[in-house]
Amino acid sequence: GDRLAQAADAAKHLVERTGDDDEVALVTAGGAPAIEVAPTRHHADVLSAIDAVVRRGASGDNRDDAIAFSLADGLCRDTARTSIVIASDGGVTVPPPKCHIQALPVGHDANNAGIAGLAVHSVDGLGTYDVHLAVAATAPRKLDVTLTADGEVVDVIAMDIPPGGQG
């Protein structure tokens, strides 16, 4: 199934298990990080916000996840009693928090890869181009990038993406 729906179901189950006096907040990542619901004892507000996130759908990428983690950590008022729960399919890098981190695994690691940067410049005005390509991945991997122009293969580049990096 859909990973966002799986994460929402897991988060709703977690909220439903919290005590009436427990405060719960919702911070979203993957796109524009936001505090969807500030810490509250009104758990129904959090459950409604989770449903709204699912209706809105997933967007963006994980480029600004560190901001989301900082927002969540900023909501941590009682480090002895507060946990930040991260619903993820893996491949998440978390900056050092002041609050305890708890993982809520969803699905499996997606092991995503994609183009992180592309620049093309004419070298001589006669059809020769200088191409700079950056590929990022959530886990180390080897892959072939095929460059095409007008439907024809121009080059195939073997890339070795390091852990948490770009090739």
Side-chain angles (χ1 to χ4, degrees):
D2 175 298
R3 290 184 301 193
L4 179 58
Q6 289 175 0
D9 288 344
K12 286 165 69 172
H13 182 69
L14 183 69
V15 170
E16 290 164 351
R17 290 191 345 241
T18 59
D20 291 342
D21 288 335
D22 291 333
E23 287 188 335
V24 180
L26 178 64
V27 176
T28 54
I35 298 172
E36 302 289 339
V37 181
T40 182
R41 288 187 178 88
H42 297 105
H43 299 170
D45 292 348
V46 178
L47 295 172
S48 294
I50 292 169
D51 288 337
V53 168
V54 171
R55 281 192 304 277
R56 190 169 63 227
S59 65
D61 53 36
N62 295 37
R63 184 178 330 202
D64 293 327
D65 280 0
I67 295 170
F69 298 132
S70 294
L71 288 172
D73 205 39
L75 296 175
C76 178
R77 294 181 279 208
D78 182 353
T79 57
R81 296 187 57 227
T82 304
S83 291
I84 297 172
V85 180
I86 301 171
S88 174
D89 61 2
V92 177
T93 303
V94 181
K98 63 183 175 189
C99 277
H100 171 74
I101 297 287
Q102 179 182 341
L104 185 61
V106 176
H108 60 282
D109 189 345
N111 196 13
N112 293 331
I115 295 174
L118 174 66
V120 180
H121 302 282
S122 175
V123 174
D124 58 11
L126 300 173
T128 302
Y129 292 90
D130 186 23
V131 178
H132 295 267
L133 176 70
V135 177
T138 57
R141 66 190 300 181
K142 294 179 186 300
L143 53 89
D144 290 332
V145 176
T146 303
L147 300 176
T148 62
D150 296 324
E152 300 291 323
V153 174
V154 175
D155 201 357
V156 177
I157 303 165
M159 300 189 84
D160 188 7
I161 311 298
Q166 294 184 355

